[in-house]
Every structure is written in C-alpha cells, then in structure tokens.
Amino acid sequence: MARTPRHRRLVLPLLCLLFQGATALLFAVFVRYNHETDAALWHWGNHSTVDNEFYFRYPSFQDVHAMVFVGFGFLMVFLQRYGFSSVGFTFLVATFTLQWATLVQGFLHSFHGGHIHVGLERWAAVRDAGGSMTIHTFGAYFGLFLSRVLYRSQLEKSRQRQSSVYHSDLFAMIGTIFLWIFWPSFNSAPTALGDGQHRTALNTYYSLTASTLSTFALSALVSGDGRLDMVHIQNAALAGGVVVGTSSEMMLTPFGAVAAGFLAGTVSTLGYKFFTPVLESRFKVQDTCGVHNLHGMPGVLGALLGVVVAWLATHEVYGDGLQSVFPLIAQGQRSATSQAVYQLFGMFVTLALASVGGSLGGLLLKLPFLDSPPDSQCFEDQIYWEVPGEQEAEAQRPLRAEEQDTEA
Amino acid sequence: MARTPRHRRLVLPLLCLLFQGATALLFAVFVRYNHETDAALWHWGNHSTVDNEFYFRYPSFQDVHAMVFVGFGFLMVFLQRYGFSSVGFTFLVATFTLQWATLVQGFLHSFHGGHIHVGLERWAAVRDAGGSMTIHTFGAYFGLFLSRVLYRSQLEKSRQRQSSVYHSDLFAMIGTIFLWIFWPSFNSAPTALGDGQHRTALNTYYSLTASTLSTFALSALVSGDGRLDMVHIQNAALAGGVVVGTSSEMMLTPFGAVAAGFLAGTVSTLGYKFFTPVLESRFKVQDTCGVHNLHGMPGVLGALLGVVVAWLATHEVYGDGLQSVFPLIAQGQRSATSQAVYQLFGMFVTLALASVGGSLGGLLLKLPFLDSPPDSQCFEDQIYWEVPGEQEAEAQRPLRAEEQDTEA
Amino acid sequence: MARTPRHRRLVLPLLCLLFQGATALLFAVFVRYNHETDAALWHWGNHSTVDNEFYFRYPSFQDVHAMVFVGFGFLMVFLQRYGFSSVGFTFLVATFTLQWATLVQGFLHSFHGGHIHVGLERWAAVRDAGGSMTIHTFGAYFGLFLSRVLYRSQLEKSRQRQSSVYHSDLFAMIGTIFLWIFWPSFNSAPTALGDGQHRTALNTYYSLTASTLSTFALSALVSGDGRLDMVHIQNAALAGGVVVGTSSEMMLTPFGAVAAGFLAGTVSTLGYKFFTPVLESRFKVQDTCGVHNLHGMPGVLGALLGVVVAWLATHEVYGDGLQSVFPLIAQGQRSATSQAVYQLFGMFVTLALASVGGSLGGLLLKLPFLDSPPDSQCFEDQIYWEVPGEQEAEAQRPLRAEEQDTEA
C-alpha cells in the first residue's frame, strides 16, 4: 500500500487546528446570540412562543443536515473501497461549513453594533438552500473543471475499485432515499414562511415523483436487456429536486413541476448512459459520481426554468405573495422581463466563476507538497484511513468454523 | 442467468411513461394550488403563520415518507439477493402512489370550481393513514390471495435465496426501527389536530412498546435453545402499531393500548413460528415476508378492537372531542352500538374486496406476456437489476493483497 | 458453539413477561390521559391548537427516539459479530425505559387525584435529556465499575471478534451521524420553550462542530502514519454533545460552546489512543466501546463546565430568562455561587451512586444462575441470536456461479 509521507501526516491536523483557532477567535470577538436566542432579550411569557422563528426554522434546518450528512455521505458509499472517505469527509466538510456559514452569513446579514447576532434563521445552510444555480450548477462545474485539471490518463489502474459491490449499493440507496425525502425541506427552508414554504415543498415533491418515474423508465429502456441500473436510480431519480431549485418557490404550477421533473430525470439518465463516457474520452473529465448528470445539466435546466417562470410573473398571479418572491418587481423597481434577464445573467456569472474557480482549485491541488495517491491507489480508503482489512478476512474464517457448530 | 426476453424490456418503461403522461395531462387540466399554497390567496402578514395547516401536516407527512421509503424499503432487504428489488420497487411504487393520491383524493375531497385544489393536508398518504382495516387488513389479504393464485410447487429450487445473510439482517433492522419510530406519526397524521393527534401518537407508542416486549419474550420462548430470531424482532415487534390503527384515535386508555400491543406481538410471533409453515403446506400460500403475521392477523384484531372501543363511546368520555372522532354519534345521527356494527361491517367488506381483488390480481399476473422468473430464479435481483456480482469477487481479492502491505 | 443451558432459555421471557404484567397492572390502576390528551378536556376549537404543547414536544421526542434507537443501536454495530445484539438489545432496553419513564416520572411530576396524567411533555426520555451528569457521567461510571467487577483475564480469546469489518464500520457511521444530527434536540428537549430551546440547540451545534474538527485533527496526529481511525470519528466527534449537556441551556456564549467542544473532542480522542489500554492493563476495566472516552471524561468536564457557567449567572445576563434556567436564583432563594456549589455537589453524588450501583450490578450479574458466555465466545451474536452464518457462505458460492453467466 502507498505509504503516506511523514510531512503528509501534518497537513490535515494543521488545517483543522488553524481553521478552528481562527474561527474560535472570530466567534469570541464578534458572535453574540440574537434577540430570539438570548435569555435576556426573549422569553416565553413576554411573547407568544410561536413568534420565535426557531419553531419554523429548526425542523427544516435538521432536515438539511440529515440530507447532507446521511444523504450525500452515503450516496457516495457506492464505491466498494471508498466508503470511509465518502462518509467521513462529507462529515468533516459539513462541519467546516456550519462554522463558516455563521461568520460569512453573519457579516452579510446580521452584523450590527459591532457584532454578529446568531439564531437559527441566519444560517447559510438554510439561507442559500434550493439554488439550482448557486449550489448545483456552481458546485458541479467547479468540480468538473477541477477534475479536468487533475485528469489522470492512467486511472484505468484503479478500475476495479471504481465500481460498487452489492452491499455498498444498498448503503448508497439509504443516501438516495434521505435526499429524496428531505429535498422538499432543502428547497423550502430559505423561502418565506407560509404559502411560500408550502408551495415550494409541494412543487419539489411533484418534481421528484416525476424524475423518479422517468428514471426507472429510461434506465430499463437504454439498458441492453431491460434490467435497471442502480447508478441511475441512486442519482437520476433525484434530478427533479435539482431542476426546481430556483423555480419551486414561484408559481410553477403542479403540472409545471411534474413536467420539469420528468425532463430532468430523462436528461440525467441519458447523461449517465451516453454522455459520461464521452466526457472522459473526449473532454478528459473523469466524473466518477456523475455530478454532471445529477447537478450539472439539471442545474442549468433549473436556472433556465427560473428565467422563464420569473419572466411570466404578474401581480395577478402572485398577489401579496409577490413581495416575498420578487420584492423588486412588487416594489415596481424592476419588470418581470428584466427580472428574467437578471436570472439569466446570474446563470452565466455562476458558470464563469465555477470554471475559473475550479481550474484554480485544480492547480492548487497540484502543488508539490500536496502529494496525491498514485493512479493505482485511487478510490482506496487505505490511503487516508486505517481499514479493518485483515479482520475482514478473519471474520469470514471463524464464520465457516462456527457454521459447523450450528450444523452440529 | 435467466435472460430477460426482448419484449419484456419494454413493459416497465411503457408502464411508467403511459402513467406519467396520463397523470401529467390530468395535472395540467385539473390540479391547482389551494388557498394556503397559492401566493395570491394566502400570505404571511395577512394571516397568522400558524393558520397555515402546512406547519402541522408537513412533519407527519415527511414521517410517513420516511416510514414507507426507508421502513418498508429496507425491511425487505433481509433477503440476501433481493435488496435492490426491495428498496428500488418500494421507491417506485411509493412515487406512483403519491401522484395518484393527489388525483384520487383530490377528486373526492377538494374538487370544486372544476379544479382540484392541492395543499399538503389533502394527501392520501396522510389521509388514509392509521387504518388497521383499509391499509393492513386489505393489503395483507389482497397479497395472500394473490400469492395463492401464483402458488409455485417448485419454489424449493430458490430456497437458498429465501433466507438472510448477516448484513442483510442489519439493513432490515434499519427498516424496522424507522417503522417503529414513525408509526405514531403514521397513525396520528390524519386525525383531528390537537388532542386527537396527541392521543393517537401516545396510544401508538404504548402499544408498540408492549408488542416489542412480548415479541422478545415469545421469540426466545418458542425457539429450541432460547435464542432470539431476527425475523420475529424485525416484524412482530411492530404489530402494536397495526393493532391500534383503528382505535388509537379513540379513548382507548393507556392500559388498553398496552394490552392490545402485547396481544398483537404475541399472536404475530406465534404466527411466524407455527402458522406460516402451515399456510404454505396446507393452504398453498407462500408468505415469504410474513405479511399475514404482521399485517393480516394484527389488522383483523385491530378492526375488532375498533368495534369494541367504538361501541363503548359516550358523550361523557369524549366530550367535545366526540365531534372529531365520531361526528355521526355527536350529531345524534347514529348510536355507539350502530357505529360498532358499521365498523364490523366495514371489516367484512374489506376482507371480501381483498380476497376478490387479490385473486383477480393473481390471474392478471398470469397473463402470458407478463412472463415471470423460473422457480430457480425467485428472490434474485439479477432478473431485474444489473448486479455488481463480479466486482464483489474482485473486491475480496485485492483486499487480501493489501493486507500483506498493512502487515508489512 | 456454546450451547445455551435449558434454564437460560426462560430468563429473558420471564423477565419481559413479569415486567410487562406489572407495568400493565400499574397502567390500569394509575395512568390516565392528561388535559391535553383527553378528548373531553382539550379540544381544538375551544383552544388555539398551538396551546397544545404536543406540537412543540413531539418533534423533540421523536428526535430523541431516532437518536437512541438508530444512533446508539447502530453505533455499536462496529463489532463484526455483535450487530444483532447491539441493535436488538438497544431496541429492547429503550422500550423498557419508555414504559418505566411513564410510571416513574408520572409519580414524580403528574400524580394528582390518585392518578398519573400522561401527555408527551411528561416523559423522562424528554425530561431528563441533556444531563452531562445524570445521563453521561452516571451511565459511564456505572458501566465501568460494573465492567471492573466482571473483569475477564482471558478475554484475549475473543480478540478476533473485538474489532470491526469494513461494512460494520459503515453501519456504525449511520449511528454516529444520527447521534450528531439529533443531539441538539436531545439537549434542548427538556428546556423551557422559546429562547431556552433555541439557545440550547445552537450551543450544542457549535460544540459538536468543534469536537468533530478536533477529533479529525487529533486522530490523524496521533496515528503512526497520519491515517484516520474510524473508532475516533465514530465516537470522539460526538463528545461535543456530551460536554455541553449541562451548560448548553445557560448563557454559555457561542465561543464558549466552540471551546468546550474542541476540548472534549481532543480529550476523547487522546483517551481512545492512550488511556483505554491503560484502563485495561492497569485498572482491569475492559471498555470495549470506549464509554469512558465518549461519556465518562466529557461528562465530568461538562458537569464542571456547568459549575463555572452557573457561578457566572447574573440577573443582567439572563433577564427574565433566569426564571426558567435558574428559578431558585431568580426567586432570590439561592446565590449564583451556592448554585455552583450545588452543581459541583451533584457531580460527586452522581459519581458515588454510579460507582456503588455499578459494583452491585456487577455482583448481581455474577449470580450463578445467570451464566455468562465463555471467554472465547464474547462479542458473539450466536450466543443470543439465530445467526444466518451458513447462508452467508452459500450466498457467496452461487454468486461466483452467476458471475460466469453475467460474463457469458
């Protein structure tokens, strides 16, 4: 097994410790409880408990955690020897994000009197949710450009580890189902309370059901012998959640949600079958998990759908709700058409930032002191984790022995 | 391996596409947002957010999803080579149901002005929940009669796949625990807000604790050497949720809930041990998952329990709550006794419909063009799924190799 | 395999049946619905639904279930041949607890008019939550003293079963993530509604993020080659939830929460690496799951942190909230200093009770008729469960065969 060089041993610890030291310092100086969290500023008896936004935000907030930690963590466990890294590093990155979110969002939204005032409703994890553009499109193309820079022509050497085993696929299905169940909360978490949240959840459900149906249909259709492919079910079935990320808050209509979801599931499944191979052979982009199929294409489609639905916004259709969905239109500062143009512009800015950022990220990861695993050791937990490989062998052997006893 | 005939390849895709096309069309013509979901008709600021039933229904609604998708999906993963089908097809059928529910329930309950007006509180997944009769009894006997028609005398040939492996049993326990945790939400979801939902959840908890205890007790008692049987724990422990499906909304009393749950767990465990074999040998019904023990018998017991508790309903005991539990009694249109008779009648109607429906379903599935797997290939994912069988073997081999390195 | 003696077969069933009989009797005599659960005493229409505490308590209550059943149940599945026992016995003990909680808490808190009046807000599972002392410190040292009494000098004989296998570690990560996600609910469940619950959840999140980061850092730092250890990630990452169990309700400040969590994760990881071996060699305590590292040390640290934060409590800082966090201080019956002394005293009482109780428990388990497994059969499900060992072997063999077909 590839031995980790001595200095490598210090990279992760130093990264964590420096980060935590810095954030802790910033917390000490800037972060305070907001009026709904501070014992002195809010207390039941002085207020109706329901005024405390906590009771409307906390459930969504938990759902988003369940979705990210369990959902994304286990979705990538489908790789037979990369489960520890998939669950472990998702876990690590998510906690990083939670602390940063407090600071970044805090300085943007709740910085006054020299302090950030924190309560659940300020969290980025909740605040930026739902964005087909800002999350899915950005994340996907950032990663794809990064992967382009890090292209490995000899990755074939790790081929045998690039597929799943029976139980790793079942673990991945736990991830898929958690993502499916909590996607409506993810999209609706940052929307306005009331009809906004209600409508967003409903549209997301309709879109997910349609993408699931089209994924099953297409997966059987494109396969040689009509058998379903777990990779499609685990991923493409969720494309409906991505494609309505921008528009589910708007008056998309139930039919619009179903149509969008159906299209997304179809495009995503076809992407896995026909485009992913081309992406590697032609464009030298190795997209192991198919993020281009689940986040890239559905994300762009979702951004464009947002353009169209925004363009159709009228005072008649939205009534008082217009204020919470399109405040600038409601205040007459912007027409529906210009709103649509802004949406379209936002998508191109996102793609530009993602491509530049991803490319730079790739170059950064190529820095000599950040040595990466050899081509023959990719998708292998043993590089980063102590893996109970040998016990596994033993686990089989005594088992055989015990069977005899059981038989006896 | 049994190759899937060419035409077979089209059955699932056509089914999905036709269904989705039809529902999408119906959605376009009939489905609109209801007053709490439409931006123009409901907006925070004009109302107290709490008026929006979404905040009371959405959590139950999610719980029911988690219960069905994860719970039932993984409960059946106990079969060693049927995990993909169990999780995958539960996933597919559940999404089918969600779309149908909107239309069926919509036309029944929220069709006015030529449109269905949808919001979460109208959903069947929530609306029909809790029914010992309509869900468990019906489902169980429908399936058992269907299985009777499809009886395979040579199923022995698949015997080795009809049991579990160590990790498949652990996956199944994820299903069991999700079902246990969310059953109180499942039973209470469609009940009246307030004391109705509170009481239903509480009764369901008490009943589940008792069925769990009696299942552990009986499982050890009936086994040869006092060892517990995973099949009992995975299933019979949940019988307490089924048996109070009808009556948990009523004034069952905590003691009544405990007694009912204890009885259900006992009957269910004994069913697995002694009745399931007879069901196959005598009645030619192959009940692989023991639905008769978890849903059939406890469902009938639950229906009868509902008869008794309804019969005991009085204005004194229910007070104002009578209106929400037994509206017809509250309005004096029906006596408690006649309510009980109606309940009993309902059970027999359910059994009649289930037996006829299940038998017809069985005959339908025998149609020549719907060819089924050979007796030697039952409970085998490879018929419907591309299974990573070969990689599994490879996954073991390099492992052995790597161990050497780890040792080194 | 060690055969279970005939009489052994009756211990568990008798225990369950006697317990259930006794509680059922007590339920019949004493337990009634409380005013929010009884149809006659509370009904929507007469009240605002929101008055019904059910809607604020039920979600936390479910979260605590998910945390205990899934979280603790699967956390211990890391052992390669003890998964059934881990999940199964957690399941059994949790249901026992739920019934006892109703009675014990009922007699303590809601016994009037000769009856216990039950609704969700009375439950111990919710009422005693968060306690670094009463739950974690007590539980940990109770278990450690018990383990001391049951010390096995020949446990080496079961060494090969005392470690994990690849997939058992992934199951354990499901437990870890559930514990992480629901810990904020667990700590905040019994606190005052409003800012109390809001602040507790927020502090717990900050503490968990910090303990996760320090665990990753320390795990890589203390290992020989910079590779992470799953045991640390699965356990020490959660120490942040334990350490703020007492103080998260107080005005700990976000920085205080981060600092506490970071310390807890560090101490816990170092404990696994350096202290657990000493605990066995020097103190003859076999701590297989490292409860001393996750619950013991962080629990004591949490109790001491509670002493300090209570000591700093002032009317200025807490305002009206003081009444709900420190009622005796608010009512002027106690100074912050004496409150701190009481907290410290409480910790020592907890340690004393745990050590005495654990030792007695150990002696109890040594009673001859409760025969325990031989040293060579520890951590082995087959003692208590029918294990599908032989099918597992078969499951492999046909697989190989099928591969040929797949290839063909």
Side-chain angles (χ1 to χ4, degrees):
Chain A
M1 199 207 72
R3 282 258 157 271
T4 340
R6 217 99 207 81
H7 77 269
R8 172 75 164 288
R9 173 182 168 181
L10 296 172
V11 175
L12 181 64
L14 284 178
L15 186 65
C16 292
L17 297 174
L18 287 176
F19 171 84
Q20 187 56 99
T23 47
L25 191 66
L26 292 168
F27 267 56
V29 179
F30 293 112
V31 183
R32 302 289 179 270
Y33 297 123
N34 75 358
H35 72 287
E36 286 189 344
T37 319
D38 190 309
L41 301 180
W42 199 104
H43 193 57
W44 195 39
N46 312 3
H47 312 254
S48 151
T49 305
V50 179
D51 293 342
N52 196 316
E53 207 168 342
F54 171 75
Y55 291 97
F56 298 104
R57 297 300 187 190
Y58 183 55
S60 324
F61 187 64
Q62 285 183 295
D63 291 352
V64 172
H65 275 133
M67 176 173 169
V68 173
F69 283 70
V70 184
F72 285 117
F74 277 90
L75 186 57
M76 294 312 143
V77 174
F78 81 95
L79 288 170
Q80 59 188 259
R81 295 284 298 167
Y82 208 61
F84 289 9
S85 306
S86 170
V87 177
F89 295 141
T90 303
F91 190 21
L92 178 62
V93 170
T95 50
F96 260 104
T97 312
L98 278 169
Q99 288 197 357
W100 259 133
T102 299
L103 294 169
V104 175
Q105 292 293 314
F107 281 114
L108 292 176
H109 298 294
S110 55
F111 187 78
H112 40 84
H115 293 126
I116 292 169
H117 299 269
V118 292
L120 280 189
E121 77 279 11
R122 283 298 175 212
W123 283 58
V126 172
R127 211 64 187 170
D128 275 343
S132 300
M133 285 186 286
T134 54
I135 296 173
H136 300 291
T137 305
F138 180 83
Y141 289 97
F142 184 99
L144 292 167
F145 273 86
L146 189 145
S147 170
R148 174 67 189 81
V149 175
L150 298 179
Y151 177 71
R152 291 163 175 265
S153 55
Q154 300 302 307
L155 198 54
E156 253 316 284
K157 294 178 180 173
S158 291
R159 191 192 59 71
Q160 87 286 358
R161 255 186 257 94
Q162 211 167 340
S163 55
S164 66
V165 293
Y166 194 73
H167 280 167
S168 71
D169 267 328
L170 287 175
F171 277 113
M173 277 306 291
I174 296 178
T176 299
I177 291 174
F178 268 71
L179 287 163
W180 202 102
I181 293 172
F182 293 118
W183 217 296
S185 298
F186 179 75
N187 283 351
S188 64
T191 61
L193 294 176
D195 62 280
Q197 214 158 21
H198 198 159
R199 189 171 54 251
T200 309
L202 205 59
N203 287 332
T204 309
Y205 272 118
Y206 285 131
S207 184
L208 283 166
T209 55
S211 59
T212 305
L213 287 168
S214 58
T215 298
F216 271 88
L218 270 290
S219 182
L221 205 56
V222 298
S223 81
D225 52 10
R227 292 191 297 158
L228 296 159
D229 186 333
M230 259 293 167
V231 173
H232 302 160
I233 308 305
Q234 286 161 0
N235 295 277
L238 299 166
V242 176
V243 78
V244 295
T246 303
S247 56
S248 53
E249 182 182 9
M250 310 173 185
M251 290 293 283
L252 179 60
T253 78
F255 167 74
V258 167
F262 189 85
L263 177 65
T266 305
V267 169
S268 188
T269 307
L270 294 175
Y272 274 100
K273 184 71 178 182
F274 304 109
F275 193 59
T276 299
V278 177
L279 206 57
E280 172 154 11
S281 61
R282 186 81 50 82
F283 301 95
K284 299 197 179 321
V285 175
Q286 288 153 334
D287 183 8
T288 310
C289 303
V291 298
H292 187 255
N293 309 311
L294 174 51
H295 302 279
M297 291 185 292
V300 170
L301 281 176
L304 294 174
L305 182 61
V307 172
V308 175
V309 183
W311 184 55
L312 298 172
T314 65
H315 285 80
E316 291 60 44
V317 175
Y318 286 80
D320 297 341
L322 193 61
Q323 176 59 39
S324 65
V325 183
F326 298 113
L328 295 175
I329 299 179
Q331 294 153 28
Q333 298 175 30
R334 186 179 282 181
S335 71
T337 312
S338 61
Q339 177 67 40
V341 173
Y342 273 96
Q343 299 273 142
L344 188 63
F345 182 69
M347 185 188 84
F348 288 118
V349 171
T350 304
L351 287 169
L353 290 174
S355 52
V356 175
S359 307
L360 290 176
L363 295 170
L364 202 71
L365 291 178
K366 279 186 146 177
L367 291 177
F369 76 92
L370 287 169
D371 62 332
S372 54
D375 293 339
S376 64
Q377 289 294 323
C378 293
F379 319 112
E380 173 53 62
D381 277 331
Q382 291 200 353
I383 308 284
Y384 310 100
W385 301 84
E386 285 168 17
V387 176
E390 62 195 296
Q391 291 88 334
E392 197 156 321
E394 274 172 24
Q396 306 300 334
R397 266 181 257 108
L399 198 59
R400 304 282 172 277
E402 284 148 13
E403 283 148 33
Q404 311 317 323
D405 302 323
T406 326
E407 293 300 69
Chain B
M1 198 208 74
R3 281 257 158 271
T4 340
R6 216 104 209 77
H7 78 270
R8 171 75 163 289
R9 173 182 170 181
L10 297 171
V11 176
L12 181 64
L14 284 177
L15 187 66
C16 293
L17 296 174
L18 288 175
F19 171 83
Q20 187 57 97
T23 48
L25 191 67
L26 292 169
F27 266 57
V29 179
F30 293 113
V31 182
R32 302 288 178 272
Y33 297 123
N34 75 358
H35 72 286
E36 286 189 344
T37 318
D38 190 309
L41 301 181
W42 198 106
H43 193 58
W44 195 38
N46 312 3
H47 312 254
S48 152
T49 305
V50 180
D51 293 341
N52 196 319
E53 207 169 341
F54 171 75
Y55 292 97
F56 298 103
R57 297 299 187 188
Y58 183 56
S60 324
F61 187 64
Q62 284 183 297
D63 291 353
V64 172
H65 276 133
M67 176 174 169
V68 172
F69 282 70
V70 184
F72 285 116
F74 277 90
L75 186 57
M76 294 313 145
V77 174
F78 81 95
L79 288 170
Q80 58 188 259
R81 295 284 298 167
Y82 208 61
F84 289 9
S85 305
S86 170
V87 177
F89 296 140
T90 303
F91 190 21
L92 178 61
V93 170
T95 49
F96 260 106
T97 312
L98 279 168
Q99 289 197 355
W100 260 131
T102 300
L103 294 169
V104 176
Q105 291 293 314
F107 282 114
L108 292 176
H109 298 294
S110 55
F111 187 78
H112 39 85
H115 292 125
I116 292 169
H117 298 269
V118 292
L120 279 189
E121 78 279 12
R122 285 297 175 212
W123 284 56
V126 171
R127 210 68 186 166
D128 276 343
S132 300
M133 286 187 284
T134 53
I135 296 172
H136 301 291
T137 305
F138 180 83
Y141 289 97
F142 183 99
L144 292 167
F145 273 85
L146 188 145
S147 170
R148 174 67 189 83
V149 175
L150 298 179
Y151 178 71
R152 291 164 176 264
S153 55
Q154 299 302 307
L155 197 55
E156 255 314 286
K157 294 178 180 173
S158 292
R159 191 192 59 69
Q160 86 284 0
R161 257 187 254 95
Q162 212 167 340
S163 55
S164 65
V165 293
Y166 194 73
H167 280 168
S168 71
D169 267 327
L170 288 174
F171 277 113
M173 277 306 292
I174 296 178
T176 299
I177 290 174
F178 268 72
L179 288 163
W180 202 102
I181 293 172
F182 293 118
W183 216 297
S185 299
F186 179 75
N187 283 351
S188 64
T191 62
L193 294 176
D195 61 280
Q197 214 159 22
H198 198 159
R199 188 171 56 251
T200 309
L202 205 59
N203 287 332
T204 308
Y205 272 119
Y206 284 132
S207 184
L208 283 165
T209 55
S211 60
T212 305
L213 287 168
S214 57
T215 297
F216 271 89
L218 270 289
S219 182
L221 205 57
V222 298
S223 80
D225 50 10
R227 292 192 296 158
L228 296 159
D229 186 333
M230 259 294 166
V231 173
H232 302 159
I233 308 305
Q234 286 161 0
N235 295 277
L238 299 166
V242 177
V243 78
V244 295
T246 304
S247 57
S248 52
E249 183 182 9
M250 310 173 185
M251 291 291 283
L252 179 59
T253 78
F255 167 75
V258 167
F262 190 84
L263 179 65
T266 305
V267 169
S268 187
T269 308
L270 294 175
Y272 274 100
K273 184 72 179 183
F274 302 109
F275 193 59
T276 299
V278 178
L279 206 57
E280 172 154 12
S281 61
R282 186 80 50 82
F283 301 94
K284 300 198 178 320
V285 175
Q286 288 153 334
D287 183 9
T288 309
C289 303
V291 298
H292 187 254
N293 308 311
L294 173 50
H295 301 279
M297 291 186 292
V300 171
L301 282 175
L304 295 173
L305 182 61
V307 172
V308 175
V309 183
W311 184 56
L312 298 171
T314 65
H315 284 79
E316 291 60 44
V317 176
Y318 286 80
D320 296 340
L322 194 59
Q323 177 59 38
S324 66
V325 183
F326 298 113
L328 294 175
I329 299 179
Q331 294 152 27
Q333 297 174 33
R334 188 181 279 181
S335 72
T337 313
S338 60
Q339 179 67 41
V341 174
Y342 274 95
Q343 298 271 144
L344 188 63
F345 182 69
M347 186 187 83
F348 288 118
V349 172
T350 304
L351 287 168
L353 291 174
S355 51
V356 174
S359 307
L360 292 175
L363 295 172
L364 201 71
L365 291 178
K366 279 187 147 177
L367 292 178
F369 76 92
L370 287 168
D371 62 332
S372 54
D375 293 339
S376 63
Q377 289 293 324
C378 293
F379 317 114
E380 172 54 62
D381 276 332
Q382 292 199 351
I383 306 286
Y384 310 100
W385 301 83
E386 286 168 17
V387 176
E390 62 196 297
Q391 291 88 333
E392 198 156 319
E394 275 172 23
Q396 307 298 336
R397 267 182 257 107
L399 199 59
R400 303 284 171 277
E402 284 148 13
E403 285 148 32
Q404 311 317 323
D405 302 324
T406 324
E407 294 299 70
Chain C
M1 198 209 73
R3 282 257 158 273
T4 341
R6 216 102 208 80
H7 77 270
R8 172 74 165 288
R9 173 182 169 181
L10 296 172
V11 175
L12 181 64
L14 284 177
L15 186 66
C16 293
L17 297 173
L18 287 174
F19 171 83
Q20 187 56 99
T23 47
L25 191 66
L26 291 168
F27 266 56
V29 179
F30 293 113
V31 182
R32 302 289 179 270
Y33 297 122
N34 77 357
H35 71 287
E36 285 189 345
T37 319
D38 190 309
L41 301 181
W42 198 103
H43 193 57
W44 195 40
N46 312 3
H47 312 256
S48 150
T49 305
V50 179
D51 293 343
N52 196 318
E53 208 169 340
F54 171 76
Y55 291 96
F56 298 104
R57 297 300 188 190
Y58 183 56
S60 324
F61 187 64
Q62 284 183 295
D63 291 352
V64 172
H65 275 132
M67 176 174 168
V68 173
F69 282 70
V70 184
F72 285 117
F74 277 90
L75 187 57
M76 294 312 144
V77 174
F78 80 94
L79 288 170
Q80 59 189 258
R81 296 283 299 166
Y82 208 60
F84 289 9
S85 305
S86 170
V87 177
F89 295 142
T90 303
F91 190 21
L92 178 62
V93 170
T95 50
F96 260 105
T97 313
L98 278 169
Q99 289 197 355
W100 260 132
T102 300
L103 295 169
V104 175
Q105 292 293 314
F107 281 115
L108 292 176
H109 299 293
S110 55
F111 187 78
H112 39 86
H115 294 127
I116 292 169
H117 299 269
V118 292
L120 281 188
E121 78 279 14
R122 285 295 176 213
W123 284 59
V126 171
R127 209 66 187 167
D128 276 342
S132 299
M133 286 187 284
T134 53
I135 295 173
H136 300 291
T137 306
F138 180 83
Y141 289 98
F142 183 99
L144 292 166
F145 273 85
L146 189 145
S147 169
R148 174 67 189 82
V149 174
L150 298 179
Y151 178 70
R152 290 163 176 266
S153 56
Q154 299 303 306
L155 198 55
E156 254 315 284
K157 294 178 180 173
S158 291
R159 192 193 57 71
Q160 86 285 359
R161 255 187 257 93
Q162 210 167 340
S163 54
S164 65
V165 293
Y166 194 73
H167 280 167
S168 72
D169 267 328
L170 287 175
F171 277 113
M173 277 306 292
I174 296 178
T176 299
I177 290 174
F178 268 71
L179 288 163
W180 202 102
I181 293 172
F182 293 118
W183 217 297
S185 299
F186 179 76
N187 283 351
S188 65
T191 61
L193 294 176
D195 62 280
Q197 214 158 22
H198 198 157
R199 189 170 56 251
T200 309
L202 205 59
N203 287 331
T204 308
Y205 273 119
Y206 284 132
S207 184
L208 283 166
T209 54
S211 60
T212 304
L213 286 168
S214 58
T215 298
F216 271 89
L218 270 289
S219 182
L221 205 56
V222 298
S223 80
D225 51 10
R227 291 191 297 157
L228 297 159
D229 185 333
M230 259 293 167
V231 173
H232 302 159
I233 308 305
Q234 286 161 359
N235 295 277
L238 299 166
V242 176
V243 78
V244 295
T246 303
S247 57
S248 53
E249 183 182 8
M250 309 173 185
M251 290 292 282
L252 179 59
T253 78
F255 167 74
V258 166
F262 189 84
L263 179 65
T266 306
V267 169
S268 188
T269 308
L270 294 175
Y272 274 99
K273 184 72 178 183
F274 303 109
F275 192 60
T276 300
V278 178
L279 205 57
E280 172 152 10
S281 61
R282 185 82 49 84
F283 302 95
K284 299 196 180 321
V285 175
Q286 288 152 334
D287 183 9
T288 309
C289 302
V291 299
H292 187 255
N293 308 313
L294 174 51
H295 301 280
M297 291 187 292
V300 171
L301 281 175
L304 295 174
L305 181 61
V307 172
V308 175
V309 183
W311 184 55
L312 298 171
T314 66
H315 285 79
E316 291 59 43
V317 175
Y318 286 80
D320 297 341
L322 194 59
Q323 176 58 38
S324 66
V325 182
F326 298 114
L328 294 176
I329 299 179
Q331 294 152 29
Q333 297 175 33
R334 186 179 282 181
S335 73
T337 313
S338 60
Q339 178 68 39
V341 174
Y342 274 94
Q343 298 272 142
L344 188 63
F345 183 69
M347 186 188 82
F348 289 118
V349 171
T350 305
L351 287 169
L353 291 175
S355 53
V356 174
S359 307
L360 292 176
L363 294 171
L364 201 72
L365 291 177
K366 278 187 147 177
L367 293 177
F369 76 92
L370 286 168
D371 62 334
S372 55
D375 293 337
S376 64
Q377 288 294 324
C378 293
F379 318 113
E380 173 54 61
D381 277 332
Q382 292 199 351
I383 307 286
Y384 310 100
W385 300 84
E386 286 168 16
V387 176
E390 63 194 297
Q391 291 87 334
E392 198 156 320
E394 275 172 24
Q396 306 298 336
R397 265 182 257 108
L399 199 58
R400 303 284 173 277
E402 284 148 14
E403 285 148 31
Q404 311 318 321
D405 302 323
T406 325
E407 292 300 69

